[in-house]
């Protein structure tokens, strides 16, 4: 079982409009809703790849009930979310059909009480006993300590469970110091963590701060990986156009599935890039286009070794 942690789950709501204009009224052509938050997105992709996944984190209020109802219909995903008094947040994505651009509005999430945080930590420790790997994903809701991920990383390491951390800002800085097996920052998150805007230099600096392996997401340029076994770049054969919502989460799912399947790093990276690109190409935000993924996963992703020591 793979465990994904989403402390700030969400109900993702997507509106499609013909053209998004400031200070104007818009007629919405289509509305979709689905369980969201980075870890839930990762879980959905892992399940589609054939893995059994358990999701945990927080859910509360009417919105939390809708999220849990939505999870019940996803084959391969087990709901182990911890209830809270506050209401799960909503995220609003407005897709401009003319340009393809997406505008995102993210609520902060429910205030988590100390007793609720303690209940989650007990549940997390119990779930680790049956986990082959764990992904810690996304932002922290109000009330959760800023060093929360550092503690969860240490808990996974103590249980002998490989741990991937995908967050940003101060939670990432503290979490890296706890020595996760893998982090997957984007270029901006990596620069904020290390102070360097040069991807290779910044990736190496992140390893020195504690991460065993660092996979930097460079947008359309693909991934840069620096690991104890070597370093590589992986990129799709051509720039893909579409909605990037969830593309990074699909990459996390590719890396995590490759880890538990014991794939060599080039194969893990090729899968991650193929899933990410196929997510951008999907007509539904946050899902991946199966045909595009299979085509790219064949021979469509270029993975090249970087010269020099890791």
């Amino acid at each position: 079982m793979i465990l994904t942690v989403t402390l700030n789950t969400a109900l993702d709501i997507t509106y499609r409009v013909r053209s998004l204009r400031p200070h104007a009224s818009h007629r919405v052509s289509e509305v979709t809703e689905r369980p969201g938050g980075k870890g839930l997105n990762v879980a959905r992709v892992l399940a589609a790849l054939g893995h059994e996944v358990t999701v945990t984190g927080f859910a509360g209020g009417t919105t939390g009930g809708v999220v849990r109802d939505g999870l019940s219909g996803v084959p391969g995903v087990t709901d182990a979310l911890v209830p809270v008094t506050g209401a799960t947040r909503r995220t609003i994505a407005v897709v401009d059909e003319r340009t393809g651009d997406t505008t995102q509005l993210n609520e902060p999430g429910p205030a988590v009480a100390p007793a609720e945080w303690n209940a989650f930590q007990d549940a997390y420790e119990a779930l680790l006993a049956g986990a082959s790997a764990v992904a810690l994903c996304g932002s922290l809701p109000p009330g959760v300590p800023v060093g929360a991920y550092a503690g969860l990383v240490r808990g996974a390491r103590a249980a002998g469970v490989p741990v991937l951390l995908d967050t940003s800002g101060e939670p990432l800085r503290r979490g890296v110091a706890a020595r996760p097996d893998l982090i997957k920052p984007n270029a901006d998150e990596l620069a904020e963590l290390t102070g360097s805007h040069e991807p290779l230099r910044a990736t190496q600096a992140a390893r020195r701060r504690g991460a065993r392996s660092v996979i930097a997401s460079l947008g359309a340029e693909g991934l840069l990986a620096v690991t104890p076994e070597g370093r590589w770049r992986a990129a799709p054969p051509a720039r893909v156009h579409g909605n990037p919502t969830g593309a990074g989460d699909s990459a996390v799912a590719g890396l995590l599935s490759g880890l538990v399947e014991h794939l060599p790093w080039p194969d893990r990276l090729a899968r991650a890039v193929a899933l990410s690109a196929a997510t951008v190409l999907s007509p539904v935000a946050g899902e991946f286009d199966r045909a595009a993924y299979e085509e790219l996963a064949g021979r469509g992703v270029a993975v090249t070794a970087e010269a020099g020591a890791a």
Side-chain angles (χ1 to χ4, degrees):
M1 174 269 287
I2 299 174
L3 177 65
T4 71
V5 174
T6 314
L7 295 177
N8 212 4
T9 55
L11 179 65
D12 286 346
I13 303 170
T14 301
Y15 295 140
R16 300 185 69 88
V17 299
R18 177 169 295 179
S19 178
L20 182 61
R21 304 179 309 281
H23 316 298
S25 178
H26 298 79
R27 186 176 298 278
V28 176
S29 61
E30 182 183 354
V31 181
T32 58
E33 292 185 350
R34 62 172 200 155
K38 294 178 73 65
L40 298 191
N41 296 339
V42 171
R44 191 164 34 242
V45 175
L46 285 169
L49 294 174
H51 291 275
E52 293 295 320
V53 190
T54 295
V55 298
T56 190
F58 296 112
T62 301
T63 309
V66 175
V67 167
R68 302 189 84 158
D69 287 345
L71 288 173
S72 67
V74 182
V77 174
T78 298
D79 173 4
L81 294 170
V82 175
V84 291
T85 302
T88 295
R89 66 185 177 132
R90 296 163 298 177
T91 66
I92 311 296
V94 183
V95 180
D96 184 322
E97 295 177 334
R98 179 178 57 86
T99 65
D101 293 336
T102 301
T103 299
Q104 194 84 16
L105 303 173
N106 297 328
E107 296 179 354
V112 176
E116 293 168 336
W117 173 237
N118 290 338
F120 167 79
Q121 291 180 91
D122 291 342
Y124 174 74
E125 184 177 347
L127 289 166
L128 283 174
S132 56
V134 58
L136 309 174
C137 302
S139 61
L140 301 179
V144 172
V146 70
Y149 282 134
L152 299 181
V153 168
R154 287 191 290 267
R157 287 177 55 84
V161 179
V163 56
L164 182 154
L165 177 62
D166 185 18
T167 188
S168 60
E170 186 65 11
L172 174 60
R173 189 184 71 81
R174 297 197 187 194
V176 166
R179 307 185 67 80
D181 294 274
L182 174 64
I183 63 171
K184 193 212 66 65
N186 61 32
D188 290 340
E189 293 163 350
L190 191 59
E192 183 181 7
L193 174 66
T194 65
S196 175
H197 291 271
E198 199 289 309
L200 181 56
R201 184 177 296 112
T203 304
Q204 292 171 317
R207 281 201 70 212
R208 289 193 294 271
R209 289 173 179 264
R212 177 174 172 81
S213 297
V214 181
I215 313 302
S217 178
L218 305 179
E221 296 179 21
L223 301 175
L224 169 63
V226 178
T227 80
E229 291 78 21
R231 60 194 195 192
W232 297 267
R233 290 183 185 265
R239 183 180 294 267
V240 294
H241 299 278
N243 187 345
T245 302
D249 303 329
S250 292
V252 168
L255 295 169
L256 204 59
S257 63
L259 185 156
V260 300
E261 294 172 29
H262 306 291
L263 297 181
W265 272 108
D267 291 347
R268 298 186 204 182
L269 297 169
R271 177 182 290 180
V273 169
L275 282 168
S276 181
T279 299
V280 174
L281 293 169
S282 172
V284 179
E287 305 290 343
F288 70 91
D289 184 306
R290 174 70 71 170
Y293 165 65
E294 291 176 352
E295 180 178 352
L296 287 164
R299 291 185 299 176
V301 177
V303 181
T304 57
E306 288 278 296

PDB file of all heavy atoms in Angstrom, residues 17 32-33 44 47 77 106 119 130 133 153 155 162 175 179-180 206 216 225 229 265 268 294 300-301:
ATOM      1  N   VAL A  17     -15.141  29.287 -18.985  1.00  0.00           N
ATOM      2  CA  VAL A  17     -15.794  30.465 -19.573  1.00  0.00           C
ATOM      3  C   VAL A  17     -15.194  30.709 -20.948  1.00  0.00           C
ATOM      4  O   VAL A  17     -14.057  30.310 -21.236  1.00  0.00           O
ATOM      5  CB  VAL A  17     -15.617  31.719 -18.686  1.00  0.00           C
ATOM      6  CG1 VAL A  17     -16.242  31.502 -17.315  1.00  0.00           C
ATOM      7  CG2 VAL A  17     -14.143  32.092 -18.539  1.00  0.00           C
ATOM      8  N   THR A  32     -17.206  21.509 -13.101  1.00  0.00           N
ATOM      9  CA  THR A  32     -16.864  20.173 -12.624  1.00  0.00           C
ATOM     10  C   THR A  32     -16.358  20.270 -11.191  1.00  0.00           C
ATOM     11  O   THR A  32     -15.755  21.271 -10.804  1.00  0.00           O
ATOM     12  CB  THR A  32     -15.785  19.504 -13.500  1.00  0.00           C
ATOM     13  OG1 THR A  32     -14.608  20.327 -13.514  1.00  0.00           O
ATOM     14  CG2 THR A  32     -16.279  19.304 -14.920  1.00  0.00           C
ATOM     15  N   GLU A  33     -16.613  19.229 -10.407  1.00  0.00           N
ATOM     16  CA  GLU A  33     -16.153  19.137  -9.032  1.00  0.00           C
ATOM     17  C   GLU A  33     -15.486  17.779  -8.821  1.00  0.00           C
ATOM     18  O   GLU A  33     -15.930  16.775  -9.382  1.00  0.00           O
ATOM     19  CB  GLU A  33     -17.315  19.259  -8.037  1.00  0.00           C
ATOM     20  CG  GLU A  33     -17.973  20.614  -7.983  1.00  0.00           C
ATOM     21  CD  GLU A  33     -19.038  20.674  -6.893  1.00  0.00           C
ATOM     22  OE1 GLU A  33     -19.376  19.613  -6.327  1.00  0.00           O
ATOM     23  OE2 GLU A  33     -19.542  21.780  -6.624  1.00  0.00           O
ATOM     24  N   ARG A  44      -4.993   9.453  -6.965  1.00  0.00           N
ATOM     25  CA  ARG A  44      -5.843   9.092  -8.099  1.00  0.00           C
ATOM     26  C   ARG A  44      -4.999   8.568  -9.257  1.00  0.00           C
ATOM     27  O   ARG A  44      -5.362   7.579  -9.912  1.00  0.00           O
ATOM     28  CB  ARG A  44      -6.661  10.323  -8.501  1.00  0.00           C
ATOM     29  CG  ARG A  44      -7.779  10.041  -9.481  1.00  0.00           C
ATOM     30  CD  ARG A  44      -8.785  11.172  -9.552  1.00  0.00           C
ATOM     31  NE  ARG A  44      -8.161  12.466  -9.376  1.00  0.00           N
ATOM     32  CZ  ARG A  44      -8.447  13.299  -8.366  1.00  0.00           C
ATOM     33  NH1 ARG A  44      -9.330  12.978  -7.457  1.00  0.00           N
ATOM     34  NH2 ARG A  44      -7.856  14.480  -8.290  1.00  0.00           N
ATOM     35  N   ALA A  47      -3.575   5.082  -8.379  1.00  0.00           N
ATOM     36  CA  ALA A  47      -4.609   4.053  -8.520  1.00  0.00           C
ATOM     37  C   ALA A  47      -4.835   3.708  -9.988  1.00  0.00           C
ATOM     38  O   ALA A  47      -5.022   2.538 -10.346  1.00  0.00           O
ATOM     39  CB  ALA A  47      -5.909   4.523  -7.870  1.00  0.00           C
ATOM     40  N   VAL A  77      -8.502   3.316  -4.166  1.00  0.00           N
ATOM     41  CA  VAL A  77      -8.194   4.349  -3.175  1.00  0.00           C
ATOM     42  C   VAL A  77      -9.008   4.100  -1.914  1.00  0.00           C
ATOM     43  O   VAL A  77     -10.237   3.971  -1.964  1.00  0.00           O
ATOM     44  CB  VAL A  77      -8.492   5.760  -3.722  1.00  0.00           C
ATOM     45  CG1 VAL A  77      -8.314   6.810  -2.624  1.00  0.00           C
ATOM     46  CG2 VAL A  77      -7.581   6.075  -4.900  1.00  0.00           C
ATOM     47  N   ASN A 106      -7.439  29.832  -4.301  1.00  0.00           N
ATOM     48  CA  ASN A 106      -7.295  28.794  -3.287  1.00  0.00           C
ATOM     49  C   ASN A 106      -7.663  29.333  -1.905  1.00  0.00           C
ATOM     50  O   ASN A 106      -7.057  30.290  -1.429  1.00  0.00           O
ATOM     51  CB  ASN A 106      -5.851  28.275  -3.246  1.00  0.00           C
ATOM     52  CG  ASN A 106      -5.439  27.608  -4.543  1.00  0.00           C
ATOM     53  OD1 ASN A 106      -6.256  27.006  -5.226  1.00  0.00           O
ATOM     54  ND2 ASN A 106      -4.183  27.722  -4.896  1.00  0.00           N
ATOM     55  N   ALA A 119      -4.746  13.627  16.877  1.00  0.00           N
ATOM     56  CA  ALA A 119      -5.466  12.464  16.344  1.00  0.00           C
ATOM     57  C   ALA A 119      -4.896  12.061  14.989  1.00  0.00           C
ATOM     58  O   ALA A 119      -4.764  10.865  14.684  1.00  0.00           O
ATOM     59  CB  ALA A 119      -6.960  12.776  16.232  1.00  0.00           C
ATOM     60  N   GLY A 130       1.679  -0.345   7.465  1.00  0.00           N
ATOM     61  CA  GLY A 130       1.352  -1.122   6.277  1.00  0.00           C
ATOM     62  C   GLY A 130       1.750  -0.462   4.979  1.00  0.00           C
ATOM     63  O   GLY A 130       1.312  -0.886   3.905  1.00  0.00           O
ATOM     64  N   ALA A 133       5.527   3.079   0.862  1.00  0.00           N
ATOM     65  CA  ALA A 133       6.101   4.409   0.644  1.00  0.00           C
ATOM     66  C   ALA A 133       5.038   5.420   1.057  1.00  0.00           C
ATOM     67  O   ALA A 133       3.847   5.109   1.106  1.00  0.00           O
ATOM     68  CB  ALA A 133       6.497   4.625  -0.806  1.00  0.00           C
ATOM     69  N   VAL A 153       8.212  13.346   8.339  1.00  0.00           N
ATOM     70  CA  VAL A 153       9.366  12.716   7.670  1.00  0.00           C
ATOM     71  C   VAL A 153      10.119  11.838   8.662  1.00  0.00           C
ATOM     72  O   VAL A 153      10.461  10.682   8.367  1.00  0.00           O
ATOM     73  CB  VAL A 153      10.301  13.781   7.069  1.00  0.00           C
ATOM     74  CG1 VAL A 153      11.638  13.151   6.648  1.00  0.00           C
ATOM     75  CG2 VAL A 153       9.648  14.460   5.877  1.00  0.00           C
ATOM     76  N   GLY A 155       9.003  10.444  11.321  1.00  0.00           N
ATOM     77  CA  GLY A 155       8.189   9.274  11.647  1.00  0.00           C
ATOM     78  C   GLY A 155       8.295   8.194  10.589  1.00  0.00           C
ATOM     79  O   GLY A 155       8.406   6.999  10.910  1.00  0.00           O
ATOM     80  N   PRO A 162      10.133   4.655   2.878  1.00  0.00           N
ATOM     81  CA  PRO A 162      10.630   5.753   2.034  1.00  0.00           C
ATOM     82  C   PRO A 162       9.616   6.885   1.973  1.00  0.00           C
ATOM     83  O   PRO A 162       8.407   6.646   1.847  1.00  0.00           O
ATOM     84  CB  PRO A 162      10.804   5.090   0.658  1.00  0.00           C
ATOM     85  CG  PRO A 162      10.876   3.627   0.925  1.00  0.00           C
ATOM     86  CD  PRO A 162      10.039   3.379   2.138  1.00  0.00           C
ATOM     87  N   GLY A 175      11.239  20.598   6.509  1.00  0.00           N
ATOM     88  CA  GLY A 175      11.100  19.196   6.145  1.00  0.00           C
ATOM     89  C   GLY A 175      12.358  18.618   5.542  1.00  0.00           C
ATOM     90  O   GLY A 175      12.725  17.460   5.803  1.00  0.00           O
ATOM     91  N   ARG A 179      15.632  15.098   6.415  1.00  0.00           N
ATOM     92  CA  ARG A 179      16.250  14.127   5.517  1.00  0.00           C
ATOM     93  C   ARG A 179      15.246  13.180   4.843  1.00  0.00           C
ATOM     94  O   ARG A 179      15.329  11.959   4.971  1.00  0.00           O
ATOM     95  CB  ARG A 179      17.344  13.319   6.227  1.00  0.00           C
ATOM     96  CG  ARG A 179      18.391  14.195   6.921  1.00  0.00           C
ATOM     97  CD  ARG A 179      19.533  13.384   7.502  1.00  0.00           C
ATOM     98  NE  ARG A 179      20.323  12.779   6.437  1.00  0.00           N
ATOM     99  CZ  ARG A 179      21.261  13.420   5.722  1.00  0.00           C
ATOM    100  NH1 ARG A 179      21.520  14.691   5.969  1.00  0.00           N
ATOM    101  NH2 ARG A 179      21.939  12.793   4.787  1.00  0.00           N
ATOM    102  N   PRO A 180      14.311  13.740   4.064  1.00  0.00           N
ATOM    103  CA  PRO A 180      13.427  12.873   3.280  1.00  0.00           C
ATOM    104  C   PRO A 180      14.196  12.164   2.173  1.00  0.00           C
ATOM    105  O   PRO A 180      15.263  12.623   1.738  1.00  0.00           O
ATOM    106  CB  PRO A 180      12.408  13.857   2.688  1.00  0.00           C
ATOM    107  CG  PRO A 180      13.160  15.149   2.608  1.00  0.00           C
ATOM    108  CD  PRO A 180      14.063  15.166   3.809  1.00  0.00           C
ATOM    109  N   ALA A 206      20.126  21.753  -2.418  1.00  0.00           N
ATOM    110  CA  ALA A 206      19.021  21.134  -1.677  1.00  0.00           C
ATOM    111  C   ALA A 206      19.432  19.779  -1.117  1.00  0.00           C
ATOM    112  O   ALA A 206      19.026  19.401  -0.014  1.00  0.00           O
ATOM    113  CB  ALA A 206      17.803  20.989  -2.587  1.00  0.00           C
ATOM    114  N   ALA A 216      13.916  18.311  -9.578  1.00  0.00           N
ATOM    115  CA  ALA A 216      13.425  19.662  -9.823  1.00  0.00           C
ATOM    116  C   ALA A 216      12.514  19.665 -11.035  1.00  0.00           C
ATOM    117  O   ALA A 216      12.887  19.185 -12.112  1.00  0.00           O
ATOM    118  CB  ALA A 216      14.602  20.607 -10.043  1.00  0.00           C
ATOM    119  N   ALA A 225      17.139  15.674 -12.188  1.00  0.00           N
ATOM    120  CA  ALA A 225      17.263  14.791 -11.030  1.00  0.00           C
ATOM    121  C   ALA A 225      18.710  14.725 -10.579  1.00  0.00           C
ATOM    122  O   ALA A 225      19.615  14.490 -11.387  1.00  0.00           O
ATOM    123  CB  ALA A 225      16.771  13.386 -11.384  1.00  0.00           C
ATOM    124  N   GLU A 229      22.777   8.033  -7.016  1.00  0.00           N
ATOM    125  CA  GLU A 229      23.178   7.147  -8.102  1.00  0.00           C
ATOM    126  C   GLU A 229      23.613   7.899  -9.355  1.00  0.00           C
ATOM    127  O   GLU A 229      24.135   7.294 -10.293  1.00  0.00           O
ATOM    128  CB  GLU A 229      22.013   6.204  -8.458  1.00  0.00           C
ATOM    129  CG  GLU A 229      21.691   5.172  -7.394  1.00  0.00           C
ATOM    130  CD  GLU A 229      20.885   5.751  -6.232  1.00  0.00           C
ATOM    131  OE1 GLU A 229      20.234   6.807  -6.413  1.00  0.00           O
ATOM    132  OE2 GLU A 229      20.928   5.158  -5.133  1.00  0.00           O
ATOM    133  N   TRP A 265      16.496   4.846 -12.114  1.00  0.00           N
ATOM    134  CA  TRP A 265      16.127   6.252 -12.162  1.00  0.00           C
ATOM    135  C   TRP A 265      15.698   6.729 -13.555  1.00  0.00           C
ATOM    136  O   TRP A 265      14.687   7.457 -13.664  1.00  0.00           O
ATOM    137  CB  TRP A 265      17.268   7.112 -11.628  1.00  0.00           C
ATOM    138  CG  TRP A 265      17.199   7.309 -10.150  1.00  0.00           C
ATOM    139  CD1 TRP A 265      18.006   6.770  -9.193  1.00  0.00           C
ATOM    140  CD2 TRP A 265      16.235   8.108  -9.445  1.00  0.00           C
ATOM    141  NE1 TRP A 265      17.610   7.173  -7.935  1.00  0.00           N
ATOM    142  CE2 TRP A 265      16.529   8.004  -8.064  1.00  0.00           C
ATOM    143  CE3 TRP A 265      15.158   8.891  -9.843  1.00  0.00           C
ATOM    144  CZ2 TRP A 265      15.781   8.659  -7.092  1.00  0.00           C
ATOM    145  CZ3 TRP A 265      14.412   9.553  -8.879  1.00  0.00           C
ATOM    146  CH2 TRP A 265      14.721   9.434  -7.524  1.00  0.00           C
ATOM    147  N   ARG A 268      12.096   5.815 -13.972  1.00  0.00           N
ATOM    148  CA  ARG A 268      11.215   6.593 -13.088  1.00  0.00           C
ATOM    149  C   ARG A 268      10.975   7.991 -13.676  1.00  0.00           C
ATOM    150  O   ARG A 268       9.845   8.495 -13.683  1.00  0.00           O
ATOM    151  CB  ARG A 268      11.841   6.752 -11.705  1.00  0.00           C
ATOM    152  CG  ARG A 268      12.075   5.474 -10.944  1.00  0.00           C
ATOM    153  CD  ARG A 268      12.554   5.816  -9.530  1.00  0.00           C
ATOM    154  NE  ARG A 268      13.324   4.725  -8.937  1.00  0.00           N
ATOM    155  CZ  ARG A 268      13.814   4.729  -7.726  1.00  0.00           C
ATOM    156  NH1 ARG A 268      13.627   5.786  -6.938  1.00  0.00           N
ATOM    157  NH2 ARG A 268      14.512   3.702  -7.264  1.00  0.00           N
ATOM    158  N   GLU A 294       0.681   6.544 -22.731  1.00  0.00           N
ATOM    159  CA  GLU A 294       1.258   5.311 -23.250  1.00  0.00           C
ATOM    160  C   GLU A 294       2.201   5.578 -24.421  1.00  0.00           C
ATOM    161  O   GLU A 294       3.251   4.931 -24.556  1.00  0.00           O
ATOM    162  CB  GLU A 294       0.138   4.351 -23.650  1.00  0.00           C
ATOM    163  CG  GLU A 294      -0.634   3.817 -22.436  1.00  0.00           C
ATOM    164  CD  GLU A 294      -1.813   2.944 -22.808  1.00  0.00           C
ATOM    165  OE1 GLU A 294      -2.125   2.870 -24.028  1.00  0.00           O
ATOM    166  OE2 GLU A 294      -2.428   2.346 -21.906  1.00  0.00           O
ATOM    167  N   GLY A 300       8.897   8.275 -26.015  1.00  0.00           N
ATOM    168  CA  GLY A 300       8.675   9.698 -26.272  1.00  0.00           C
ATOM    169  C   GLY A 300       9.389  10.644 -25.346  1.00  0.00           C
ATOM    170  O   GLY A 300       9.359  11.841 -25.543  1.00  0.00           O
ATOM    171  N   VAL A 301      10.022  10.140 -24.269  1.00  0.00           N
ATOM    172  CA  VAL A 301      10.690  10.990 -23.294  1.00  0.00           C
ATOM    173  C   VAL A 301      12.198  10.787 -23.403  1.00  0.00           C
ATOM    174  O   VAL A 301      12.686   9.656 -23.345  1.00  0.00           O
ATOM    175  CB  VAL A 301      10.219  10.679 -21.859  1.00  0.00           C
ATOM    176  CG1 VAL A 301      10.984  11.530 -20.848  1.00  0.00           C
ATOM    177  CG2 VAL A 301       8.709  10.929 -21.735  1.00  0.00           C
TER     178      VAL A 301
END
